[in-house]
Structures are given as C-alpha cells and as structure tokens.
Amino acid sequence: MNQPLVRLTRREFLRTGTIGAATVSALGFDLTAAYAQVRELKIARTTETRSTCPYCSVSCGVIIHTLGDRSRNVRPAVVHVEGDPDHPINQGTLCPKGITLKQNIVNDRRLTKVKYRAPGSRVWEEKPWDWAIDRIARLVKDTRDRRLRIEDARGRALHALTAVGVIGGCTDTNEVNYLLVKAFRAGLGVVPIEQQARI
Amino acid sequence: MSLELLRISASGSPAPGVRSVPAVTKLVDTTTCIGCKACEVACQEWNDLPPEPTTQTGTYQTLPDLTANFWNLITFNEHDDSGTLRWLMRKDQCMHCSEPGCLIACPAPGAIVQYANGIVDFQQDHCIGCGYCVTGCPFDVPKFNPRTRRVYKCTLCVDRVSVGLQPACVKACPTSCLQFGTKEAMLEIANRRVEQLKASGFARAAVYDPPGVGGTGVVTVLAFADQPELYGLPRDPTVPMAVSFWKGPLKWIGNLAMLGGLAVAAIHYVRFGRKEDPDQIPNPKDQIPNSTTRL
Amino acid sequence: MASLAATFGRGAMTNGWTDIRNADVVLAMGGNPAENHPVGFRFVMEAKRNRNATLVCVDPRFNRTAAVADRFVQIRAGTDIAFLGGLINYALTHNRFHQEYVRLFTNAPLLVSERYAFDSARGVFSGWDAERRAYTDISSWTYDIGPDGYARTDPTLQHPRSVFQVMRQFYARYTPEEVSRICGCSADDFVKVADVITSTYTPDRAGTIMYALGWTHHSHSVQLIHAAAMLQLLLGNIGRPGGGLNALRGHANIQGGTDCGMAYHNLPGYIPVPKVGDETLNAFVTAATPRALRPNSTNFWSNTDRFVVSQLKAFYGAAATRQNEFGYRLHPRLPQSDGGAYENWSWAYIFDAMHDGGLEGFFSFGMNPVSNGPNSRKAIAGLSKLKWLVVAENFEQETAAFWRDDILSLVDLTPEDVQTEVFMLPAANFAEKDGSFVNSARWIQWKWKAVDPPGDAKPDQEIVARIFLKVRELYEQEGGTFPDPIRGLNWWYSNPTSPSLEEVSREINGWALEDVRDASGAVVVGRGRQLSRFLDTRADGSTLSGNWLYIGMFTDQGNLAQRRSTADPSGLGRYPEWTFSWPANRRILYNRCSADGDGRPWDATRVGIAWNGERWVGDTPDYTVDSAPGADLGAFIMLPEGVARLFVPGQFADGPWSEHYEPVESPVANPLHPEHSSNPAVRPFGSPFDTLGTAEEYPIVCTTYRLTEHFHYWTKNNPYAVQLQPEFFVEIPEELAREKGIANGDQVRVTSARGSIEGKAMVTRRIKPMQIDGRQVYQIGFPIHWGFLGRGAQRGSLANLVTPTVVDPNSFAPEYKGFLVRLEKV
C-alpha cells in the first residue's frame, strides 16, 4: 500500500547517493557527508485511528495508520497497525497476530461480493445485495410461518422458532450482539441463539 | 531525517565533528522471552519485507537461520538442566557491534555505516554484493539476497530511532523482554535482572556483551551464560583475522568495485561460487542437522 | 462461566489483566497464557520482575508458559480436579487457609441438609437413580433451612454438617499419593508446588489463577473451575488485588456476547430466558428472582423486575404497555421436552437437532462451526440437511463452503446430494466499523472506524437490519404467523437499515421514559436523561434499558466506553477512567473481600476498598457504598446467601461440589470409583457420528490447543501468520515416537473413534510419558488453526475431525481436551 511512497523517496535518495558515491569513491569518502539519510518514516503522514484488536480477550489498543484520507477521490488505505502506547494493558505492545493486523484488513482473500450457492451446485455465483436480502427474508418468513411453535401440547404459550438457528457475535461488537438478540429472539422468536462462549 | 555518522565502510578516516551521542542499545532478556515471535513479524511488517516460504520441520522455530527478508529470528533450544527441562529462546539478529566486523570487511564505500549512536546500518544502494561482510561477521548475521544481489540485516529500525521511536521489535514485545535505551541504562536493567536470577537459583546467569567485538549494541541476559552455545551464541566472538586485512592493503579493491560490475561478479564468484537460481527456496529441513535439539 | 456465576454470583474474570501485576503467586493451569494471551501475560512478567512473584505452571505439556515458569508440573489431560482437590486437601490439612476470610465470606459456616450424602465408593451424590442412570432428585444438595426460611449456620465451623467440615471430609481422599496416581505427576512434585500455591493464605500475600479453555473444554469443566474457586476462597484470594480467579476469554468479545444475551438460556444481563409455563410477566419475574437465604443479604437479583421491564421497553418500545405486560407476551419462551426438562438449544444440541433434520435455516455471523465446533463430520452432515444457510464473513471459510466436494467427501456426500441454499455475505471487519468490545476484564472499550470495508462488504449491523426490515415488510404485505413481535419491535434508529452503533449503545445503557422519582417523590432522573445507576431503573415502564448490566456506560456525560484517561490513583493498575468496566465501573469483583470484618484492608499495600467510617473508598465497592462493615450484607451481593459458595446448593447438574471424574474417553477407570468413572450426569448424543473409543483400541490421550502465531481459523489467510506456523503438526513424546518409529518431521496420522487427521510429527521432550494408576500412559497433542481454506498447506487438517460431541452437563462445553486416539506413521 505504502510502497509507492517509500519507493519514491528511496529512489530520490538513491539517485543523489549514487552520484555522490561515484565522484568520491576514487578519492576516498567525502568526509563532509557526516550525516547519512535514513529511510523515511512510513507513518510520518498517516492518519491515526484508535481501535481494539479483534482477536483474543486481552483487547489490546491498536492504532490504525491510514493514508489517503486527506485527498479527494482517494480511498484511504491502511498502511500500518501498531500498539497504542497509551493503552494501560498493552502499553504499545502487541503479539504476533496483533502486530500483523494490517494483513487482516488488507488481504486479497477478503470477501468483497455476495456469493450464492444454489441447491446441488458445485460453484459460487456472484449476486447483488438486494437480491440476497430479498431471498433470505423470503426463506426466513416461509420457515417461520410454517415452523413457529405458537404453543405446546398443553396449550401453553411458546412463540418459539426452533427451526432457525443463529450463531455469532463473539467477533463483533456489543451493539451488534444486542441487535442480533433483539431482532432474532425478541423479534422473530428464534430460540437457538449461541456464540463461541460455549465452545 | 538523518543521523550523525561515526564510521563508514571502506573509508580510512572517521567522520569528523562527531559529538558525544549516547550509544543506543537493545536489551534481550532471554529469561522472560516467551517465544511469541511478535518481534519477528513486527520487523518484517515495519520494514515491508515479504514473508518467507516455510514448512513445518518439527520445531516451533520459524526458520533455520536469518534470511535477507527475515532479520530477526527467535531460536528455540531444549536443554536438560540436570533433570529439569529448559526451553531456551534467543533472539538472533544483528548485534550492532562496537567493532563491526562487517563494516571493517566491507570494500564498498558507504555501503555500511555506523551512526554516532552505534547503529550499524547497511546502505544497499552502495552495496556491491561481494559478501565480505558475511565473512566479517562473527555472528553470521548478514544475508545475501540473490535476487537483488545485495546484503541485508537488521537496521535497528534506524528510521524509527532517528525520530525517537523504539525499534519495531522492542515496541511490539509483549513481555518487555526486549527493551531499548542507552547502553548504560540497558546494562543497569540487565545486571539487576541477573542479580534476581542468581538469587532464584540461576548461579551462572550473566549479561552477554562480548568484548571481542568491543561490546555489542544488543546485550543479552542469559540464565546459562557459561554456555552461550546453548543459545547458539559464540563464546568469544572476534572480528576474523582475514577481515582486518581489508582495512589496510586491500582497500582499493572496494573502490574498484564501485566502478565496475566486473569486479562484483568476480568477487561474488569467489565468495559464493556460480550464480544460484534466485527462485530456489532452500529447504529448511536440510539445514537442521539435529532438529530434535531445536524444538 | 456457569461455574463462576454459581460460585460467586457473576460469570466473569474476577480481577483483570492489569491487576495480575499485584500477585505474589500466579498459577497458570487450564490455560497457557503466554501462548494465548501473550500481552495479558506481560503482567505476570511484571509481577515476576517487580515483586519476585512465583509462576507455577501445571499443564499436560511443557508449553510456552512453562518456559518462563518457576515451577512446572506435568499432569494428564482431564485430571485437574484431582490436582485441585489435592491442593484443597493440602490447604486444609496443613492449616494453610485463611480462616477469618473463610468464616466471613464463604458458606463454610452454613449447615448442609441432613439428606445430602456422597457415596465415595461408587462416586455418586445423593439423588442418583441407578436404574435410570441419572440424578433424578437433587433436592438434598442444599442447606439445612431453618423455620425462618434462612440457612442455619455455625460460625465456629465445628458443626459436623457445616459446609466446612463436610468439605474437609470430602477432600481428605485427595492425598498427594492419590493425586500422583490419577494425574501422573510425582507426589513429591505435587507437594512442592502445593506449598508454593497455598503460601498465599496469609493476609499479606495474594495469589491468582489464570485459566482458559484448558479448563472449560471438559465433560466436568464447571466442577473443575468450581474446585479452583474453592481453593481461592480457602486461601482468601477472591476480591483482593493480586488475587482472583481469572478466566481468560478466548475471543475479543465473547464476554460482551454473553453479557448481551447471545446464549440460548439468557437474556441480556444474565436474566434467564422466559420458560414455557411462565405465562405472565409476574410468573416469569418471580421464577427468575431468588429468595434471600440469609437475613441481611443484599440479594441484588431482587431487582430483577426492574431490569426485565426496562429491557422489554427497549425491545418493544411503544408496543410494550402496562396492559400487555410490557410486551412480555410477544417474547418467545423456552419449550419443555417430553421428559419434562426444558429444551436445550446450546451449541452441541443445535447441531444434534440439525443433524436430525430439526432445523431449516441457519445464520452464522463470523463463526465457523465446521472448524470450531466439536466433531466436524457431524457438523458437516448437519449443515447438509438445512434448507438454507447464511454466513456473514471476512474470508471464505469451511462452514460457508461445506458443500465443496472435498469437505462433503468426509461424510460421503457430493455437492449434488446437498440441496442447501447458501449465502456468503461479505462483512466488514473490526477496523471498518465502530462499536465496543468487552475484554476479559469486563472493560467495555469503544473503537473507531478507520476505513471503509472493501468492495461490497457491509457491517453486520446493516446486514442484520436489512434482513429484519425486509422480513417485517413481507409480514406487512402478506400477513403471516404471529407477526406481532416483528411489527412491535422497537426499531427506532435514525437510519433503520444501518443503525448507528452509538444509538444502540445509548439504548443498551438506557434512559428515563418518564421522570424517575425516589421514595420521597423527588425526581432522580429526568425524562429523556440517560440512566447512570442500576437502581434508577423502574418496573413500571418509566425506564428503558437494553441491558441493565451496562448501565453507567453511556450516561449524560457521554459514552464512557470512549474514556482514555490513564490515571491510576491506586497505583495498582485499576485505571478507573479508562473506558468503563461493568458492573458500575467496578474493576475488581467481590472487592468487599479485600477488607476484613471491620473494613480494614487485609494488606495495606494492596487496598481494594476500605471503610473510612462513613463510606467505602477505593475501587467502586461491590457493596452498598455507605453500609458499615457490621451491617453484614454479605460480600457476594449477587447470591441470595450473600457469601461465596464452597458448597453449591443445587445450581449444578452433577453435584454440589467437585469430584474427580475421568474424561468420557479415558485410558484408565477412575481410580477413586471405577463404577462411575466419568461424570455420571453427562448425557451422550445418539447420532451415528457420536461414537466413543475404548482404551484398548485408542490407547493414547490427546489434547488440542491454540498457537500464539495464529488466531483460531482466521489468520490462516494472513501471509505472516502462515509463515510463522505454516502447517498442522502433532506433538509426540520422544519415547512414543521411538516406539512407533516416527522421526521428527515425518507424516503421521491420528485417529479417534470419530475420524482421523494427518500432519507432520514434532517429536519432543516437552511431553513425557506418565505412570497412571500403575501403567504407562502417553499423551500427544496438536493445535487447531488449519482446515480447507486459507493460504499455504491446508490439506483438510481440521482438528475437530477427531474430537467428540461430549459436553459438560452444566455449561454444555465440549470435551476438546483429553480424549483417546491412536497414532501411526503414514
């Protein structure tokens, strides 16, 4: 992501450096060059966003460095992720997974399209979001209409949907967990709702 | 960003006008290292180094040795300490010697510099790929990249250090077994830890800061300091005799080398033999003669 | 967490990461914190460096934690209760327990019912029905209740039926020799570490235990954790800085998910779900509210009605009226099965029902049950019976792609056989949305969005909202079965198709719908203001709160989960203004126990809270702030007895306290009672995939674990992580490898009664053969993390192909640790 920027800088440095070296090498080194250029800091011009590592439950503070936020028509891109030195737990440090979080964000294996597998098929098909939402909603409603358990054999109220299961959440925020519970349990009546805590 | 220089490869004179800049040092406390390898990838990520192809060869260790793209390797060694199993982790990387054998050996002007703060840095733009630094290093650290025909190693994150940041590996280290500061401060912490280790039964604990290379910019706390070999460290490293030659009579070769690719090829042939296939990936398995001891 | 809640009142890590720096002894057991929580582990190192703390590691393997431990003891996987029982016995017989603490803060003085008994020869508690092979009546696992309705007590602890005396007798069987016979460590090694661990019984010392999935993944996991809780209570380590029983959660927001009701049995805030038969709101609240068991105990759950009604107002908004019992009748109830038990819809039971064809549709948000659930083949077979499956993910994974030829071939199916419609929805990841996570230490931490998701990927809140709203639209258009809760759901968000998480966060905390008044009639919270205290909620519909537990997180001061002050006035690492910690910004749970009967801290250098004559100062007190120490409210305010439970009166399915049972697959019969070798309360599943192996056929003990280089099944997509640990391997003791002719790096196959898995051999001295009950037993182990999809050498190496669907009878967690296999060179 940051390669173009860094390369440019290095190339400039290389150009001046090589000319300098060529002229001086016959004479010994140019002793006036008592300073050496070092690599440009790749986070010198980045925007920093405070975030939390999504892996284990230590929940280290991380700083996500992005470039491109300040230009029009440029999509900001993550160039580096580093531990948040202010965070009282990790104090800037990170484990091998956390320190390479950039690869969790910028990764050519990320899903970028809705994929659909038809019954009996051996392939994914790409589909638009609207189509997928419509189709999923239809399937949910059909299942619920047929399988909602209104009451039990003794006539006691249930309003329970046990033909649909929902798992998730431990990788997501409290707010999304709450919305899942609200929409699926309080709304649709789904009873089998679980997450990773159990396993 | 720039840093004041102390010493330059293939140059007879020291840089003038050097003010007193405190030497920076990295402390590696092997007794609190958990072998998590955050430092390994922190280094690669910061320096934009591509991951190396690896295979599982029966060890937790990522690679058998440092490579041109892997400047920081945690080695894992099992040691039987009279019936008590020890799993010794050590950080293999450039030691940033005060008397750097690589720099002394280097024939290419400006290819290796030592900053006033003690960091030994390779300037690949000036590197001629002769590999003499490899011979000059008593720790076997610099690695030749056959694709770019340059030699690489840890820079001690000179770009970060020059703006007051810690090296990427030190910043990442979860247990703070890596620390960074002036040599004085690091030695103080190291010695305190050694005292603590001695009090808790590690009678042979000590700081590894070998005088044969003038001391190092990376000091290491070892629980079994009487046996540095257990950690893969040389007992008494010195700049190889042959290398000292470079400083004097053979210096002109380096200068010549800068002027023509011919010399580069010749020197490279002498050093490495015929050109290797750059795409050939060494099989790490072949390189662990007795891998059960390196689990 | 089922264990911690039953023992202490709350299901969470008691202290927190930063507090570990205050420990004198750290016991890492049932977890490998250096490996799995390396950054949290920095506080162990800090304690070692700064306090000369001793780190003890007890584990089946010499692991990364062991590498820096002061003491290491290897035990057989699945025998931790025996080890902990040994420690309890050691503490009691050597008088190394904190007597005053035990008397004040535990149920040691309470008397146990006369009907309680334990048959130590057979290994079952009273209430066992030998014919039905089940505990059919556990009413004897209770206290001796006096005519006043309160438990009888003997403060001298001398009564033979006092919890203390019954416990002493119960654990007397766990001698060092017995520990050695069961666990495989030497009695001498056991005694040496027992001495270190119990050294924290004095008021001037504190010790902590760090555990994780190494304890939760057993068929007796809840009792295992309870044994550890008993030990910490005896040593006086709960509620104190540097002490605690620190459950290290495995994911960034497992704690938050559980807090917010993502479990079939709980509503947000650990309120049990309504059950069939709870016909009215009143019946439900009554059933969910415990009665006090001691005269003055706080019994905080007596406020359940306020929390329930406020939650119903959050769920159903205007549709929740006093007339319709605040929408209670819209909410689903947990059904009862034919046998009379309530239906179990926990993870393994969902997949069992799915395998039986009981489910039609399934949503998986960021979860990969083919890989992370037990018995992968059963999961794959189950998914193949669904009509439809929706997976929202960052990367393609094994569950979304279960219909691939190579995955289905594991259950002898082809894609053509499987009629499931599958949707794989591209989801935003952590950096691409805001919102809060709760870490293991209960810190609710807000994060900010850094970048947009790639391509068409969407944040989960948008995916959930759009599906819900489309279903609602269909019900509006077509009508359908019982549309009332769908119509009535309070979807008030300003952007309904992608609710702002800040708005959701405000709702979770809650606000006043009307002026909230105190007993004198004065307004304590004005209409429309955010709530800031639990007891500002009302049961009359005048307040709304999605999750009472998080009240105080988002007040009129703003979103406190965004706070970033690193001030630490205690000097003990509590950071009271760094984000917000539930409950009530309390950093150490049960901190009343950090001070003695007069409110003086046990250790003046490590003050939790202290009574200054007028109020408690220090951490947010886990006690009424202005109640004098003598008020005797009970230090464990969430429990009806007000004291922590050594003896657990009826909350567990398998006994009131912890007995050693072998794993369901074990190389030996339980040396204590071979008749009931494994946990008698475990109910086996009956699908063709639920097969168990015998020691004759599968003689080797096997365990599974994580590596520090990978996170679960995610990082197999990340090039650097794949570089660090490129492929699946099996760790094998040198002696076993020699026997089998296996060299380091050879290809080997591990087979259980469920399936097999192949990978590279890692021959090591870090796992040693052991003598168990007089015979040699080998253990091997391997990491999870690989599968079918990812970078590099995946090769279908799903660790859970070999694990059993055997679950703990309380937490329903699977037995991933300590099952039987055989090993061969390929």
Side-chain angles (χ1 to χ4, degrees):
Chain A
M1 305 277 17
N2 57 321
Q3 290 294 33
L5 180 79
V6 172
R7 281 220 188 100
L8 185 75
T9 318
R10 281 184 186 166
R11 210 175 298 130
E12 283 170 353
F13 170 46
L14 190 74
R15 197 164 51 233
T16 52
T18 314
I19 296 163
T23 44
V24 299
S25 58
L27 314 164
F29 212 82
D30 177 4
L31 297 182
T32 58
Y35 288 85
Q37 179 77 30
V38 297
R39 293 155 196 83
E40 178 168 355
L41 196 73
K42 67 192 213 183
I43 52 175
R45 283 188 276 272
T46 55
T47 298
E48 300 183 1
T49 306
R50 256 68 184 175
S51 188
T52 305
C53 175
Y55 294 139
C56 86
S57 62
V58 176
S59 291
C60 297
V62 297
I63 297 175
I64 301 175
H65 292 267
T66 47
L67 271 179
D69 323 48
R70 292 172 195 167
S71 322
R72 270 188 300 169
N73 308 321
V74 177
R75 229 178 131 90
V78 175
V79 294
H80 182 59
V81 178
E82 199 165 305
D84 180 352
D86 294 336
H87 197 286
I89 295 179
N90 60 308
Q91 298 164 27
T93 70
L94 287 173
C95 77
K97 302 172 287 288
I99 198 70
T100 54
L101 267 173
K102 185 180 93 179
Q103 294 191 336
N104 181 261
I105 308 167
V106 184
N107 191 316
D108 58 12
R109 296 180 62 84
R110 280 292 298 275
L111 295 174
T112 57
K113 297 283 178 198
V114 173
K115 298 286 182 73
Y116 172 72
R117 183 261 181 185
S121 169
R122 286 177 170 261
V123 290
W124 287 121
E125 301 164 48
E126 217 172 280
K127 292 284 187 186
W129 267 105
D130 288 346
W131 180 90
I133 297 287
D134 287 354
R135 180 75 191 144
I136 293 167
R138 167 56 58 200
L139 291 166
V140 170
K141 179 164 189 292
D142 286 356
T143 299
R144 187 177 180 278
D145 278 348
R146 274 184 290 107
R147 302 282 300 269
L148 188 76
R149 296 160 70 178
I150 299 289
E151 55 182 37
D152 71 1
R154 293 161 59 185
R156 298 178 298 175
L158 284 177
H159 308 145
L161 180 59
T162 55
V164 172
V166 179
I167 56 171
C170 67
T171 59
D172 219 316
T173 57
N174 297 321
E175 293 74 22
V176 167
N177 276 277
Y178 176 77
L179 285 176
L180 283 168
V181 166
K182 184 171 176 177
F184 283 100
R185 188 194 281 140
L188 300 172
V190 173
V191 169
I193 293 184
E194 284 277 289
Q195 56 123 328
Q196 184 84 28
R198 198 80 67 182
I199 54 166
Chain B
M1 282 164 289
S2 57
L3 275 183
E4 205 161 351
L5 282 167
L6 179 66
R7 198 165 5 189
I8 301 153
S9 60
S11 162
S13 327
V18 172
R19 291 165 301 162
S20 163
V21 176
V24 292
T25 295
K26 184 189 292 180
L27 167 64
V28 181
D29 178 1
T30 63
T31 67
T32 53
C33 174
I34 54 174
C36 78
K37 310 183 190 172
C39 53
E40 293 185 349
V41 274
C43 168
Q44 282 184 301
E45 202 270 349
W46 178 260
N47 292 296
D48 298 313
L49 298 170
E52 289 284 8
T54 53
T55 53
Q56 176 54 257
T57 56
T59 170
Y60 273 68
Q61 189 170 315
T62 308
L63 284 163
D65 196 2
L66 299 170
T67 75
N69 291 323
F70 204 85
W71 301 343
N72 172 161
L73 174 72
I74 298 296
T75 61
F76 290 70
N77 293 287
E78 282 183 10
H79 168 52
D80 189 336
D81 174 24
S82 36
T84 304
L85 183 65
R86 307 282 181 195
W87 204 8
L88 306 176
M89 287 116 185
R90 203 261 301 179
K91 188 177 194 283
D92 189 10
Q93 65 151 97
C94 171
M95 302 293 270
H96 296 276
C97 307
S98 298
E99 292 295 324
C102 58
L103 187 149
I104 296 164
C106 178
I112 303 179
V113 297
Q114 185 176 33
Y115 301 107
N117 62 10
I119 294 178
V120 179
D121 194 18
F122 285 17
Q123 305 276 338
Q124 276 79 19
D125 314 315
H126 303 279
C127 173
I128 56 173
C130 68
Y132 273 76
C133 54
V134 177
T135 318
C137 174
F139 298 100
D140 192 23
V141 165
K143 297 296 174 212
F144 181 75
N145 181 335
R147 206 186 299 267
T148 63
R149 312 188 64 75
R150 300 282 186 274
V151 181
Y152 298 84
K153 68 155 192 76
C154 158
T155 70
L156 210 68
C157 284
V158 66
D159 48 348
R160 293 175 63 96
V161 171
S162 64
V163 295
L165 297 172
Q166 293 179 321
C169 60
V170 176
K171 171 85 188 303
C173 179
T175 62
S176 297
C177 79
L178 302 181
Q179 295 185 45
F180 186 74
T182 64
K183 181 138 190 177
E184 203 179 12
M186 292 303 105
L187 282 176
E188 195 189 319
I189 295 170
N191 286 323
R192 208 160 54 225
R193 178 67 184 151
V194 164
E195 288 315 308
Q196 198 180 23
L197 285 165
K198 284 184 169 163
S200 53
F202 293 95
R204 296 158 291 163
V207 180
Y208 184 84
D209 181 23
V213 289
T216 50
V218 175
V219 295
T220 310
V221 174
L222 302 176
F224 304 96
D226 57 330
Q227 298 164 276
E229 310 81 22
L230 291 178
Y231 302 84
L233 282 168
R235 183 173 289 268
D236 190 16
T238 51
V239 179
M241 280 296 281
V243 165
S244 310
F245 245 34
W246 273 119
K247 271 187 103 172
L250 299 182
K251 192 183 120 189
W252 57 274
I253 291 181
N255 294 345
L256 259 184
M258 282 303 290
L259 299 172
L262 205 69
V264 179
I267 291 170
H268 184 257
Y269 189 85
V270 171
R271 178 69 183 81
F272 291 104
R274 75 188 162 78
K275 191 183 170 195
E276 291 167 50
D277 176 1
D279 294 326
Q280 190 191 338
I281 297 153
N283 179 359
K285 199 174 171 181
D286 301 337
Q287 297 174 27
I288 307 182
N290 181 11
S291 50
T292 46
T293 61
R294 305 197 62 175
L295 289 173
Chain C
M1 295 300 152
S3 185
L4 296 180
T7 307
F8 302 133
R10 297 187 182 97
M13 183 175 191
T14 60
N15 288 41
W17 298 109
T18 52
D19 180 65
I20 293 167
R21 64 162 67 116
N22 301 313
D24 296 307
V25 175
V26 178
L27 171 60
M29 185 173 173
N32 181 0
E35 184 94 39
N36 298 311
H37 302 91
V39 180
F41 193 71
R42 69 186 271 105
F43 297 101
V44 178
M45 290 325 224
E46 207 177 305
K48 268 169 74 78
R49 270 194 288 259
N50 298 344
R51 299 188 65 88
N52 253 324
T54 308
L55 171 62
V56 178
C57 175
V58 179
D59 200 90
R61 294 179 303 139
F62 188 100
N63 55 28
R64 277 174 160 124
T65 305
V68 289
D70 299 284
R71 310 248 176 186
F72 169 72
V73 179
Q74 182 186 312
I75 62 166
R76 175 168 58 103
T79 63
D80 306 60
I81 290 182
F83 198 90
L84 292 164
L87 292 173
I88 291 169
N89 183 44
Y90 188 88
L92 291 170
T93 51
H94 292 79
N95 223 14
R96 288 169 77 84
F97 64 97
H98 191 160
Q99 198 146 9
E100 183 64 2
Y101 180 105
V102 167
R103 194 181 62 78
L104 283 171
F105 302 135
T106 75
N107 67 359
L110 276 63
L111 303 193
V112 172
S113 161
E114 279 177 329
R115 295 186 298 122
Y116 159 82
F118 177 68
D119 184 341
S120 60
R122 297 175 59 223
V124 284
F125 293 93
S126 44
W128 177 254
D129 184 331
E131 215 161 280
R132 295 170 62 184
R133 298 193 58 77
Y135 285 111
T136 49
D137 174 15
I138 61 166
S139 64
S140 60
W141 308 352
T142 187
Y143 302 120
D144 185 352
I145 304 289
D148 53 1
Y150 297 127
R152 294 184 210 266
T153 64
D154 173 18
T156 69
L157 310 182
Q158 294 308 307
H159 192 291
R161 275 193 294 108
S162 66
V163 165
F164 186 77
Q165 295 299 338
V166 181
M167 170 180 68
R168 186 193 280 274
Q169 194 201 348
F170 187 88
Y171 287 99
R173 295 169 296 140
Y174 291 83
T175 60
E177 294 67 34
E178 197 65 63
V179 171
S180 165
R181 188 154 78 112
I182 297 170
C183 302
C185 58
S186 78
D188 190 45
D189 281 349
F190 168 78
V191 168
K192 278 186 188 143
V193 304
D195 204 61
V196 174
I197 293 165
T198 58
S199 71
T200 60
Y201 78 101
T202 56
D204 62 333
R205 282 173 70 78
T208 189
I209 298 182
M210 299 171 82
Y211 78 89
L213 290 319
W215 273 357
T216 59
H217 287 161
H218 293 285
S219 58
H220 46 256
S221 62
V222 163
Q223 292 285 4
L224 204 174
I225 295 154
H226 178 67
M230 292 176 79
L231 175 69
Q232 286 296 69
L233 286 168
L234 289 173
L235 298 174
N237 279 330
I238 299 297
R240 297 188 50 195
L245 185 53
N246 287 319
L248 317 181
R249 295 288 205 159
H251 287 247
N253 207 27
I254 284 200
Q255 186 66 51
T258 320
D259 298 343
C260 292
M262 279 299 288
Y264 88 97
H265 66 300
N266 275 340
L267 298 174
Y270 300 97
I271 298 164
V273 290
K275 298 182 181 65
V276 66
D278 298 341
E279 290 284 299
T280 62
L281 175 63
N282 189 43
F284 166 55
V285 167
T286 306
T289 308
R291 239 189 310 276
L293 283 164
R294 296 283 307 130
N296 301 322
S297 66
T298 304
N299 191 23
F300 200 75
W301 280 116
S302 58
N303 300 300
T304 303
D305 55 346
R306 306 170 185 230
F307 305 152
V308 167
V309 172
S310 299
Q311 190 169 93
L312 288 170
K313 287 297 292 180
F315 284 167
Y316 300 116
T321 62
R322 197 184 279 277
Q323 289 68 36
N324 72 1
E325 296 188 296
F326 304 108
Y328 174 70
R329 287 162 193 275
L330 302 176
H331 198 278
R333 321 277 161 83
L334 188 61
Q336 219 162 5
S337 58
D338 301 336
Y342 293 105
E343 289 181 9
N344 188 327
W345 288 102
S346 64
W347 187 290
Y349 286 80
I350 292 177
F351 280 88
D352 196 54
M354 194 188 290
H355 179 267
D356 282 348
L359 274 84
E360 268 186 23
F362 199 66
F363 287 96
S364 175
F365 291 93
M367 307 240 69
N368 186 0
V370 166
S371 302
N372 64 3
N375 203 339
S376 298
R377 292 174 64 233
K378 184 177 178 183
I380 296 162
L383 292 169
S384 74
K385 296 183 180 174
L386 291 172
K387 271 191 171 17
W388 50 272
L389 169 68
V390 180
V391 178
E393 260 296 352
N394 297 157
F395 297 98
E396 183 176 10
Q397 35 92 310
E398 288 77 5
T399 299
F402 81 95
W403 46 269
R404 276 164 52 129
D405 223 356
D406 51 355
I407 299 181
L408 280 180
S409 72
L410 291 166
V411 292
D412 300 322
L413 291 173
T414 67
E416 288 74 21
D417 300 329
V418 173
Q419 296 305 303
T420 318
E421 273 187 81
V422 184
F423 303 81
M424 183 165 69
L425 308 178
N429 80 359
F430 80 103
E432 295 150 3
K433 57 196 175 196
D434 59 357
S436 63
F437 287 156
V438 186
N439 75 358
S440 226
R442 297 167 285 101
W443 293 9
I444 307 173
Q445 305 190 97
W446 192 266
K447 63 183 173 59
W448 286 263
K449 177 182 164 177
V451 281
D452 286 329
D456 291 345
K458 305 272 183 224
D460 284 6
Q461 63 266 32
E462 182 174 336
I463 299 173
V464 175
R466 288 183 64 184
I467 292 172
F468 173 74
L469 293 173
K470 182 57 75 176
V471 173
R472 172 138 91 180
E473 194 182 305
L474 291 177
Y475 273 97
E476 295 296 348
Q477 288 165 1
E478 308 168 357
T481 309
F482 194 52
D484 312 43
I486 299 172
R487 273 200 199 125
L489 202 71
N490 180 24
W491 212 261
W492 61 277
Y493 314 108
S494 37
N495 180 6
T497 54
S498 189
S500 132
L501 296 190
E502 183 166 319
E503 286 179 355
V504 179
S505 188
R506 294 179 89 95
E507 172 183 337
I508 293 174
N509 181 90
W511 58 80
L513 293 162
E514 304 294 338
D515 284 349
V516 175
R517 295 169 192 281
D518 63 13
S520 71
V523 174
V524 283
V525 189
R527 179 188 169 144
R529 313 298 296 261
Q530 290 292 112
L531 304 175
S532 57
R533 296 180 306 178
F534 299 137
L535 295 185
D536 288 342
T537 50
R538 292 290 179 268
D540 59 5
S542 61
T543 55
L544 168 160
S545 169
N547 182 358
W548 72 273
L549 197 59
Y550 286 3
I551 289 177
M553 165 189 77
F554 204 131
T555 67
D556 285 334
Q557 290 174 46
N559 186 348
L560 272 57
Q562 295 180 348
R563 290 192 297 183
R564 290 182 55 84
S565 163
T566 54
D568 180 24
S570 68
L572 294 170
R574 285 205 285 266
Y575 308 103
E577 290 174 19
W578 179 268
T579 68
F580 181 83
S581 173
W582 73 255
N585 205 32
R586 198 168 283 137
R587 303 285 159 153
I588 296 181
L589 295 177
Y590 322 115
N591 55 30
R592 169 64 188 87
C593 304
S594 66
D596 65 13
D598 298 323
R600 279 189 305 262
W602 294 112
D603 178 353
T605 67
R606 281 173 288 195
V607 179
I609 60 170
W611 177 252
N612 71 2
E614 284 170 4
R615 52 196 291 117
W616 293 92
V617 292
D619 194 4
T620 307
D622 204 346
Y623 205 67
T624 316
V625 65
D626 53 0
S627 291
D632 201 19
L633 304 179
F636 291 81
I637 63 171
M638 304 307 289
L639 295 178
E641 42 292 57
V643 286
R645 291 163 170 164
L646 298 163
F647 176 91
V648 179
Q651 280 74 21
F652 296 150
D654 48 358
W657 41 30
S658 316
E659 172 68 356
H660 164 70
Y661 292 110
E662 289 291 326
V664 168
E665 286 185 337
S666 171
V668 294
N670 193 327
L672 293 171
H673 30 70
E675 182 184 344
H676 290 288
S677 182
S678 62
N679 189 342
V682 168
R683 302 268 71 88
F685 289 103
S687 88
F689 293 100
D690 290 302
T691 44
L692 294 173
T694 61
E696 287 64 45
E697 213 180 334
Y698 304 98
I700 300 167
V701 176
C702 185
T703 186
T704 63
Y705 38 86
R706 290 188 190 174
L707 298 171
T708 200
E709 295 92 337
H710 278 290
F711 189 76
H712 237 245
Y713 298 92
W714 310 7
T715 54
K716 60 187 162 87
N717 294 293
N718 296 3
Y720 283 137
V722 169
Q723 168 198 253
L724 294 182
Q725 284 291 2
E727 54 188 316
F728 176 79
F729 61 88
V730 184
E731 291 189 74
I732 303 166
E734 273 181 354
E735 296 81 354
L736 176 62
R738 211 174 299 129
E739 238 173 61
K740 301 266 178 190
I742 295 165
N744 205 27
D746 281 355
Q747 191 77 4
V748 294
R749 182 184 304 123
V750 178
T751 308
S752 76
R754 275 76 53 194
S756 65
I757 185 170
E758 287 183 19
K760 295 279 183 67
M762 182 185 287
V763 178
T764 178
R765 281 180 272 176
R766 289 177 290 100
I767 312 179
K768 294 201 162 35
M770 295 181 301
Q771 291 294 313
I772 305 296
D773 201 17
R775 49 184 281 209
Q776 171 141 308
V777 170
Y778 287 115
Q779 291 188 114
I780 64 170
F782 50 77
I784 64 171
H785 304 309
W786 289 275
F788 287 87
L789 290 148
R791 278 174 215 275
Q794 292 297 325
R795 302 197 184 97
S797 316
L798 285 174
N800 284 320
L801 285 169
V802 296
T803 57
T805 318
V806 164
V807 298
D808 177 274
N810 302 292
S811 66
F812 314 113
E815 191 148 69
Y816 287 149
K817 273 81 177 165
F819 52 91
L820 292 180
V821 297
R822 61 168 188 259
L823 171 74
E824 61 209 317
K825 186 173 166 173
V826 178

